[in-house]
Amino acid sequence: MTDDDVKQFGDIRLERVREHVWEMPREGEMRVPARVLASEQLLEQIRQDKTLEQLRNATHLPGMTKHAICMPDGHQGYGFPVGGVGATDAEEGCISPGSVGYDINCGVRMMKTNLTYAELEGKEEELVDALFANVPSGLGGGGIVQGDVDAVEGVLDRGVDWALEHGHAVEDDLAHCEDEGRRPDADPDAVSQKAKDRGKNQLGSLGSGNHFLEVQRVTDVFREDVASEFGLEEDQIVVLIHCGSRGLGHQVCSDYLRKIEKEHGDLLDSLPDKELAAAPAGSELAEEYYGAMCAAINFAWVNRQLIMHRTRRVFERVFGRDWEAMEMDLLYDVAHNIAKKEVHEVDGEDRELYVHRKGATRAFPAGRPELPSAYRDVGQPVIIPGSMGAGSYVLRGGERSLDLTFGSTAHGAGRTMSRTQAKQEYWGETVQDELRDQQKIYVKAQSGATVAEEAPGVYKDVDEVVRVSDELGIGDKVARTFPVCNIKG
């Protein structure tokens, strides 16, 4: 091992295992080593905040197996780093709301169309105005569906099945969503009334922060055979939707963090950071949280489904055609910020694990039985958004993902700057003007502050994040897209 193969950042030592793989050796109270998947360029950015410290802390969680992992887009989060993956034994380990995050199932979905960029040119402002007027966004209440008690209960229990029953989806939407848009382990009774009250007026809304709806064009195809299976080709118009479980998911996380603090203080005291709050596997609280989290996952899937179906109606008005004629079909919907029970091989034997993916994307290769039949032979679509001024990517689950990352990859570009700093560095209206005048990207938001917080310069280089994923074999590049218009909260 040469000097170039060792990085010392304060009291944290990283050793290069191979290209793009850095290991933090097990020491002290660490239960397993940790690994950072990053190029030298990305590692230099990752080390700037508390990401590596948080990753080391995560190795202390009971039942952690193999490695705690940081993806190429990793950055500091609440307790567990964003871009973190940790798999704990489902019988002898724990489940950690702090390692899932507040916005449960903050995820992305991509909808295809048969429109070309040439057909959209000249309609950008009309389209962005229509989307902004018809898709609720911003802080607080207001959604496409003004839910009552029965609606919220149905959404939490049945997920996108509820949307289908109420005319907000078609059968094909379910067939192209992770878990077909429904977590069967959901337990609406484990969700507090306060959480339900927060969610009932937010069904079908983007929210604020980094959530968005973006119309994009496909600019590059890297694997023609896979792109063909996904229904993607150059110059095609697609729509990307990024949002989560809104106030309901946030409340679920808050509720269970408080319960864990009261009921499992001994476990919390054994951890280096109380923000990693966890409930022991098999405990009543672990089962309750899992049921509530799965219900919040269902809520988020319905939220994105409602937005997608409303987007179809907006396109009908702008382009004067039925959405079916424009072939506005769901490519896939992937979840971030979840902990799912999955079976993975550990030390030569299959074990059921809670796979925590916080700001990370499931990336299963071909053959996994959990995949929809449409993608079981080709591999799971993976959608990685970039910033407003950069491209996004469609990948497919890589052959090495199961071995290296419990079937996971990055979820985006990853921040390099806090929201507070971003608002000091950028002026929202200036960012909008530059995107429109220099790149023909039309952005509309509830406030200039939101645009400043999400300026292109506050994110890592998504091209580099995807390059690392592709070269490691955890997520294979399929296609690249570029923004046309974007709405935000």
Side-chain angles (χ1 to χ4, degrees), residues 48-104:
Q48 298 298 326
D49 56 24
K50 294 183 178 179
T51 303
L52 297 178
E53 179 185 337
Q54 290 185 332
L55 183 65
R56 179 175 61 187
N57 290 343
T59 67
H60 293 244
L61 285 167
M64 185 69 78
T65 61
K66 289 179 70 171
H67 314 96
I69 308 162
C70 177
M71 293 293 147
D73 58 336
H75 63 90
Q76 181 179 332
Y78 176 91
F80 204 67
V82 178
V85 174
T88 56
D89 189 280
E91 293 183 0
E92 300 174 357
C94 66
I95 186 168
S96 170
S99 302
V100 170
Y102 281 96
D103 194 1
I104 298 167

Side-chain angles (χ1 to χ4, degrees), residues 39-333:
S39 62
E40 298 249 10
Q41 173 188 327
L42 292 172
L43 183 61
E44 182 58 30
Q45 294 174 321
I46 288 170
R47 66 172 287 250
Q48 298 298 326
D49 56 24
K50 294 183 178 179
T51 303
L52 297 178
E53 179 185 337
Q54 290 185 332
L55 183 65
R56 179 175 61 187
N57 290 343
T59 67
H60 293 244
L61 285 167
M64 185 69 78
T65 61
K66 289 179 70 171
H67 314 96
I69 308 162
C70 177
M71 293 293 147
D73 58 336
H75 63 90
Q76 181 179 332
Y78 176 91
F80 204 67
V82 178
V85 174
T88 56
D89 189 280
E91 293 183 0
E92 300 174 357
C94 66
I95 186 168
S96 170
S99 302
V100 170
Y102 281 96
D103 194 1
I104 298 167
N105 189 6
C106 168
V108 290
R109 65 170 48 197
M110 179 175 281
M111 177 169 57
K112 302 175 289 184
T113 79
N114 62 14
L115 298 171
T116 64
Y117 182 53
E119 292 176 275
L120 191 151
E121 275 191 297
K123 295 180 180 286
E124 294 95 337
E125 290 192 76
E126 179 187 359
L127 182 58
V128 78
D129 286 345
L131 288 168
F132 191 76
N134 286 280
V135 177
S137 62
L139 294 168
I144 289 168
V145 171
Q146 296 303 307
D148 55 21
V149 173
D150 290 340
V152 173
E153 293 285 339
V155 168
L156 294 174
D157 181 41
R158 301 194 300 282
V160 183
D161 282 341
W162 177 92
L164 179 67
E165 295 162 10
H166 289 80
H168 303 293
V170 295
E171 287 280 358
D172 194 61
D173 295 335
L174 279 67
H176 291 84
C177 184
E178 187 172 325
D179 295 338
E180 298 185 341
R182 180 182 186 183
R183 290 298 298 158
D185 297 317
D187 180 6
D189 291 339
V191 177
S192 70
Q193 189 59 49
K194 185 175 182 180
K196 293 172 183 175
D197 289 342
R198 290 185 67 179
K200 69 181 181 182
N201 294 321
Q202 296 181 333
L203 267 171
S205 62
L206 284 174
S208 191
N210 64 345
H211 296 162
F212 63 83
L213 184 155
E214 189 167 88
V215 180
Q216 306 174 329
R217 59 189 170 100
V218 178
T219 55
D220 303 274
V221 170
F222 305 104
R223 286 176 167 84
E224 293 278 356
D225 56 337
V226 182
S228 177
E229 291 284 345
F230 287 178
L232 296 174
E233 59 186 27
E234 287 188 18
D235 214 38
Q236 178 182 4
I237 294 297
V238 297
V239 180
L240 196 63
I241 297 166
H242 176 214
C243 59
S245 50
R246 299 294 325 272
L248 182 139
H250 193 285
Q251 191 63 48
V252 166
C253 182
S254 296
D255 289 342
Y256 282 91
L257 288 174
R258 283 197 294 271
K259 289 181 179 181
I260 286 170
E261 192 171 349
K262 289 180 181 177
E263 295 187 29
H264 297 290
D266 53 342
L267 196 161
L268 253 66
D269 290 341
S270 72
L271 297 172
D273 185 351
K274 292 192 186 318
E275 291 181 355
L276 287 171
S283 68
E284 183 177 349
L285 199 51
E287 296 303 315
E288 287 180 6
Y289 171 70
Y290 192 68
M293 180 197 63
C294 288
I297 290 172
N298 286 344
F299 185 95
W301 273 327
V302 173
N303 192 32
R304 292 195 287 275
Q305 176 65 39
L306 292 171
I307 292 169
M308 184 179 81
H309 209 56
R310 174 63 63 87
T311 300
R312 287 166 167 163
R313 302 303 183 195
V314 172
F315 268 66
E316 285 182 331
R317 291 197 288 274
V318 172
F319 292 96
R321 284 180 258 170
D322 290 341
W323 69 261
E324 293 96 333
M326 290 182 281
E327 298 178 3
M328 300 186 74
D329 301 322
L330 179 61
L331 169 65
Y332 201 57
D333 182 302

